[in-house]
Structures are given as C-alpha cells and as structure tokens.
Amino acid sequence: KSEHIMQSKKTAKLRVATWNINSVRLRLPLVEKLATEYKPDIICLQETKATDDVFPTDAIKQMGYAHQHIHGMKSYNGLAILSKIPLVKSVIHHRVAKQDCRHIACTFEINGKPVDLHNIYIPAGGDIPDAALNDKFGHKIDFVQELTEFWMKEHSETENIIAVGDFNIAPLEHDVWSHKQLLTVVSHTPIEVKLLGEMRDSLEWVDAMRHFVPDHEKLYTWWSYRNQDWEKSNRGRRLDHVWVTKPLKGSLQKMQVAVEARNWPQPSDHVPVIVDFALQK
C-alpha cells in the first residue's frame, strides 16, 4: 500500500475513492472489498459497462451507499457515483456530440459547504497518436479540449470542485515506467500532456496525488494485463487522477494508491486512488 499523510485540524472528514472497475457486475465483490477495507464516503467508478437497469443498485445500497448517480451503457464506458452522503444535485454531461457515458457530476454538502464532484472517463485514444489517421485519438483530443472550455465557461476557480477519474493520460515523466520509450505511445505523447496541462490551468487545478508525492517519485495506478508479473516488471502508468480547486487544497489530508488491489481476484488493470479531506467550516 502506498500511503502519504499530511496533518490538518480535525474537522468534517471526507474520503473519496476513484477506480476504473472494468465491469461493475463482474467485479462487484471487489467494490465490496474496497468499501469494507477502505470505507470511502464516496466511490466513483469508471468503465462500469452496465446499463442503468442492470446496475447492481441494491447490492451497493447494502454496502452503505444509499445515494447513487449512475449513467451506463452496454459493454462500454459507464460511470457511477456511490455515496453515503445525500446528493443535492445530479447531472449528466454529453461530450463532443456523443452520448457515450463519460462524464457525470453531482453536488453534495459537507460542513455547510457545497462541493461539486465530477466523475470523468476520458477516451483511451486507440493505438496511433495521430488524429488524421485514428478517429479514436481525434475523439480524445476533442474531448479534453471541450472539457477545458467547459471548466472555463461553466465554473470558477473559487468554487469547491473535485474532479476524479480515468483521464487516460500520464502527464509527468515519473507517471510512466519509461518516459523516453512512451513518448510515442498514446497516454504520454507530447500533445496529450500539453492538452491535459491546459485543462489543469483552466481552473488552476491542484493535482491532489502529486500534492503528496513529489514529481520525481514514481507514481502509477495502472498495470497492463499483458504483464504477467506486473509487480516485478512494474511497467505502470498514472492514468487515474484526483484534482481539486484551490479552495480545497488546504483540506487535503491524505492520499493512498491501493496497489494491492491489482492482486485481488479477477482484478481490474487499474487500482483505486483514495483521497482524504478535512473540510473546515
């Protein structure tokens, strides 16, 4: 377990987890394991791969998550926000003229403060990092650019906002196992890194994971299924992210990458990222 702690005044605590689950029905026992072992107040899932009518709503309610905002499709994509805290508002966003279940949001209140939470699944982008040759890569580029414009037009850096999810981009040198070898590999190409940087600048977002872990330290959340001995080779990438706006920076308390989840039965190729907040009045 990778765990990083910063001390703060004891106030209203909030624990948020984000995880690309890679099929919520197949890996429902792993969701329960996360809920039992880490006790997040809110779990954000990506790649649920389930239409809303077959989503395991009742089973997850029994885990303590009575408040659910789900938006899914068959076999692909799909998102869920599972919360122990009542949701004041729930929104579905469609990006780049597609209804492909990649961005949902909600608002909840904690310690009298409204907090917006966005759960995002940025397109992977296929294998060829050229929009002219690869429509999937073009979709990814358009998605990130539209999202950047959305933050600038619809929100302000003075609001309490948390954005989490599988962004499918590893921006920093030590977010990948080999910076040089992955410069031409989708997820770490200069254009993707540049566009994610512009998105981060849009609201002067704070990268909550790197708030705790210096840029020169390796930090991964994904290991390919192709690597049979993933621990030994450790060819990882940091594709999953937690960003917060500046008003929430002072409330960041702790961050964990649940690396051991990569060895759970029938694991996802991603592992959960868990961030603790202490929100003051």
Side-chain angles (χ1 to χ4, degrees):
K1 187 195 296 183
S2 173
E3 189 171 303
H4 306 271
I5 300 173
M6 281 189 181
Q7 293 301 321
S8 182
K9 292 177 184 176
K10 286 190 175 181
T11 50
K13 298 289 183 71
L14 173 70
R15 174 169 285 186
V16 177
T18 179
W19 193 9
N20 179 321
I21 191 65
N22 191 17
S23 178
V24 67
R25 288 189 293 168
L26 179 65
R27 298 190 168 84
L28 189 60
L30 302 191
V31 177
E32 186 166 17
K33 196 168 172 64
L34 175 71
T36 303
E37 294 187 11
Y38 287 90
K39 298 178 172 57
D41 299 296
I42 300 175
I43 299 173
C44 295
L45 299 176
Q46 304 87 40
E47 266 203 283
T48 53
K49 297 183 177 179
T51 52
D52 295 355
D53 58 317
V54 297
F55 190 87
T57 304
D58 291 340
I60 289 170
K61 276 184 180 173
Q62 289 174 10
M63 297 176 200
Y65 300 90
H67 311 281
Q68 302 179 20
H69 179 27
I70 60 172
H71 182 47
M73 58 193 286
K74 190 177 180 182
S75 304
Y76 298 98
N77 308 344
L79 302 157
I81 297 173
L82 315 171
S83 179
K84 295 178 179 179
I85 303 163
L87 305 180
V88 178
K89 187 171 78 172
S90 299
V91 184
I92 293 167
H93 294 285
H94 299 301
R95 296 265 155 254
V96 292
K98 293 178 184 281
Q99 296 191 10
D100 56 354
C101 307
R102 291 185 177 275
H103 182 185
I104 61 174
C106 69
T107 305
F108 59 91
E109 289 185 359
I110 189 159
N111 235 1
K113 289 182 179 179
V115 179
D116 288 345
L117 173 63
H118 292 259
N119 185 10
I120 300 161
Y121 178 44
I122 292 175
D127 294 326
I128 303 165
D130 186 329
L133 301 174
N134 175 10
D135 288 343
K136 290 180 178 178
F137 194 73
H139 179 207
K140 182 177 196 173
I141 297 301
D142 292 344
F143 191 102
V144 177
Q145 289 178 320
E146 185 177 296
L147 202 49
T148 301
E149 290 172 16
F150 165 78
W151 300 128
M152 292 168 72
K153 287 179 182 175
E154 304 293 331
H155 289 283
S156 158
E157 62 262 27
T158 61
E159 297 171 34
N160 298 312
I161 312 174
I162 304 168
V164 308
D166 178 0
F167 291 2
N168 264 313
I169 300 172
L172 303 179
E173 181 176 342
H174 296 288
D175 288 342
V176 294
W177 63 272
S178 172
H179 172 63
K180 286 183 180 177
Q181 287 177 255
L182 271 72
L183 277 171
T184 56
V185 174
V186 173
S187 77
H188 191 61
T189 63
I191 181 65
E192 293 169 272
V193 170
K194 175 179 175 285
L195 290 174
L196 193 69
E198 289 173 2
M199 185 165 105
R200 191 176 157 191
D201 291 344
S202 65
L203 293 183
E204 298 182 30
W205 291 98
V206 175
D207 180 340
M209 296 179 73
R210 286 295 181 188
H211 178 75
F212 295 94
V213 183
D215 289 1
H216 64 265
E217 287 186 23
K218 290 180 179 180
L219 186 59
Y220 309 147
T221 64
W222 174 89
W223 293 263
S224 173
Y225 286 131
R226 293 174 193 165
N227 294 340
Q228 288 190 327
D229 193 345
W230 68 273
E231 280 180 291
K232 189 176 179 183
S233 64
N234 198 26
R235 293 188 169 193
R237 303 181 207 174
R238 182 172 72 115
L239 302 179
D240 306 272
H241 297 266
V242 178
W243 289 5
V244 303
T245 47
K246 279 187 176 177
L248 292 174
K249 182 179 180 179
S251 65
L252 289 168
Q253 269 220 315
K254 175 177 164 183
M255 189 280 293
Q256 302 171 76
V257 180
V259 176
E260 70 280 5
R262 190 61 181 78
N263 277 331
W264 288 354
Q266 283 194 294
S268 171
D269 44 0
H270 296 253
V271 298
V273 178
I274 301 136
V275 174
D276 286 11
F277 299 82
L279 288 110
Q280 298 167 25
K281 286 188 179 179

